[in-house]
Amino acid sequence: MNIAIISGSARPKRQSHQVALSLKGKLDLLKKDNWLWDVKESNLPLLDYTFDSHPAPGEVLKALKPRLDATDAFVIVSPEHNASYPGSLKNSMDYFYKEYGNKPFGIISVSAGVLGGINAVRSLQQYIIKLNGIVCPQFLITPKVQALFKDGQLTDESYGTRMDQFVDNFIHFADKVI
């Protein structure tokens, strides 16, 4: 199974990216084929055409297309921005559509507050359904993310345990769907 981890924030000093990198590390330890789609790094312009209708897709889009085609499952790691997910995430994902169809999606939300991004989870669930993706019923919320890492390393064992449980459940779910 090839899993894409979508790191959904393009902001400077983004905390959610640490969570995405931690997830990647866990999948690597489990020897699960995975790759990281960092929306900040891909830096796609505001959507004008989807990939399929684009008269001249750039190199970044051309490189993403075969990777998305080869992806079996997705995990979105998203901060909560104004009670939803970031526009940068939606803009990046909206370049594609059929690449997500009938594929399993997991959601990890991130927040500096105590609710852990639960509003982003709800919004992403609706968005994934619109993309014809299949939403994993279990999600992982990440409250007070600023207290979970030190120098890029996860230091909170209880969150690490919750992430392990999420990964196990998501892989089991994705295996059943695929």
Side-chain angles (χ1 to χ4, degrees), residues 6 63 72 101 114-115 119 123 125-126 132 144 156 161 163 165-166 176 178:
I6 305 174
D72 301 307
V114 296
L115 298 179
N119 292 313
S123 295
Q125 288 170 330
Q126 293 172 352
N132 291 321
K144 298 186 178 182
D156 186 301
T161 299
M163 184 182 274
Q165 290 169 342
F166 167 81
K176 296 281 185 191
I178 298 170

Side-chain angles (χ1 to χ4, degrees), residues 42-94:
S42 59
N43 194 28
L44 295 173
L46 289 176
L47 179 67
D48 50 4
Y49 296 95
T50 60
F51 182 84
D52 286 339
S53 65
H54 207 296
E59 294 305 314
V60 173
L61 288 174
K62 288 179 185 176
L64 277 171
K65 171 70 170 133
R67 292 196 88 180
L68 292 171
D69 286 340
T71 297
D72 301 307
F74 297 88
V75 177
I76 299 173
V77 180
S78 175
E80 182 170 305
H81 291 179
N82 300 320
S84 188
Y85 52 91
S88 58
L89 173 61
K90 185 167 186 345
N91 184 75
S92 297
M93 289 184 69
D94 277 355

Side-chain angles (χ1 to χ4, degrees), residues 74-155:
F74 297 88
V75 177
I76 299 173
V77 180
S78 175
E80 182 170 305
H81 291 179
N82 300 320
S84 188
Y85 52 91
S88 58
L89 173 61
K90 185 167 186 345
N91 184 75
S92 297
M93 289 184 69
D94 277 355
Y95 272 96
F96 302 94
Y97 180 75
K98 65 182 179 185
E99 293 78 4
Y100 308 123
N102 298 314
K103 293 182 181 179
F105 278 80
I107 301 170
I108 299 176
S109 64
V110 179
S111 172
V114 296
L115 298 179
I118 192 66
N119 292 313
V121 170
R122 285 196 296 257
S123 295
L124 282 166
Q125 288 170 330
Q126 293 172 352
Y127 178 57
I128 292 164
I129 290 167
K130 183 65 178 165
L131 296 173
N132 291 321
I134 303 167
V135 181
C136 180
Q138 182 183 354
F139 50 85
L140 177 63
I141 60 170
T142 311
K144 298 186 178 182
V145 67
Q146 68 278 10
L148 300 179
F149 293 88
K150 183 174 181 176
D151 300 325
Q153 297 298 315
L154 181 63
T155 58

